[in-house]
Amino acid sequence: MTGSGSPLFFDMTLFDERQMKRISCKAGEFVFREGDRAKAVYVVEKGLVRLVRFTADGNRAVLHTAGRGASFAEAALFAERYHCSAEAAEPTVVTAVSRKHILDTLRTDNAKMEAYVALLSQQVRELRTRLELRSIRSARERILQYLYLRPGGAGGFIHLPAPLKDVAADLGLTHETFYRQLSALEKEGVIMRDGRRIRIRG
Amino acid sequence: MTGSGSPLFFDMTLFDERQMKRISCKAGEFVFREGDRAKAVYVVEKGLVRLVRFTADGNRAVLHTAGRGASFAEAALFAERYHCSAEAAEPTVVTAVSRKHILDTLRTDNAKMEAYVALLSQQVRELRTRLELRSIRSARERILQYLYLRPGGAGGFIHLPAPLKDVAADLGLTHETFYRQLSALEKEGVIMRDGRRIRIRG
DNA sequence: CGAGTCGTTGAACGGAATCAATCGTCGTGG
DNA sequence: CCACGACGATTGATTCCGTTCAACGACTCG
């Protein structure tokens, strides 16, 4: 979901800069961990952050990937604790906006609150779309549907928003299957591809 | 998403009943179409609604399925027009809540706005959890994780919130696989089951 | 009573995961 | 500056597990 199309920016201009803090992380470092007290909402300035949860059997599940400009952990505003961990996938800089400050600001300024509602609404839409995608069993069809739903999918060019590997994970496929299906589709003339640039043929 | 696990209710108690309208649709009828002016948010009273989008080549993409009790088109609150069409999959009754009324109410009542934000935040969290579930490949593990995440999952009793068939669909499994895995788990003594009542053994 | 649906089980198949190997590129540090 | 390691992209071979097709009993509702 690397911001998959819809740039879910957390509008920082709504808040007081003095209530923000810059944090740098090396690859593999955690910005916060599941269960930590929720203290802030974050925006990625540089790098890549993955929201992950570790399942009982030790597996990692990636819930969300936030690239440059994207915010994450907004939902933590109304939760006492983080419900997942945030891991820097590469050297990363994030800005932390105090949860308390955000709440105060939103509570006193209804217009800002409304902007925030709009943001959350969009997220809900996006998540639902992703969930619906996952219910398509065939890898081929799932990929096609994903491409269709993406901006430019109906006639224009599509830019994959992340390394193919990550897109594959987003789709719930192994990267091998993803590669294979892409080349199959290209061989059949259904799509044209140049790296991360794809075009669907009518 | 028959709403099965996650009751994504739009909290109608926040709004004035006089601003709501009941609408009945036959199977195949549209509640609204892509591009229509966004006038209302809906709740399914009875039946099933599919949010679909038609791609350039005439294919249908299902974005979301809303069962009884679920709301849909909430995101339309902040959009001028609907970005997809809502089609009744079976004879269906929906309640339409005026978009304007909702906005007015929220804008003048900060507490309600905040309640709405909290609701949306919860939805985001829930959707992410479901997405995480889907990333577990093994049917067995996915089911166990599902049970574990459910209220009562850690020690108590779990009530499946819908017919097994629907739960299976929620989990992205065929009902056959779901039945089989459940009985396998029971045979192995990992769970105890009586109809929709399940208990995990420590 | 019959139609419809849920729950259940069996058998066979197919497609995606898995394991594995190779190539290219990019960044880093010696 | 080049060697090395890391990682993305790609392709091949094999396995396995979930899907699919099919059939049946139980139950409900009209």
Side-chain angles (χ1 to χ4, degrees), chain B residues 67-137:
Chain B
R68 188 170 146 227
S71 56
F72 62 95
E74 318 89 337
L77 264 191
F78 298 92
E80 270 307 292
R81 298 174 178 282
Y82 295 112
H83 64 292
C84 58
S85 305
E87 185 182 17
E90 44 185 85
T92 295
V93 180
V94 301
T95 298
V97 190
S98 153
R99 167 182 187 257
K100 191 166 176 324
H101 171 62
I102 295 175
L103 282 177
D104 286 348
T105 305
L106 293 181
R107 278 174 181 152
T108 54
D109 187 334
N110 215 328
K112 284 184 179 172
M113 179 82 92
E114 190 174 334
Y116 191 55
V117 169
L119 178 77
L120 285 175
S121 298
Q122 195 188 334
Q123 291 205 12
V124 168
R125 236 178 305 152
E126 244 174 59
L127 285 167
R128 286 205 177 141
T129 301
R130 291 177 66 184
L131 217 38
E132 168 193 8
L133 259 192
R134 295 290 184 104
S135 74
I136 300 175
R137 311 221 186 268

Side-chain angles (χ1 to χ4, degrees), chain A residues 71-92:
Chain A
S71 57
F72 61 96
E74 318 89 339
L77 263 192
F78 295 90
E80 271 305 294
R81 297 174 180 283
Y82 294 112
H83 62 291
C84 58
S85 304
E87 184 183 17
E90 44 185 84
T92 295

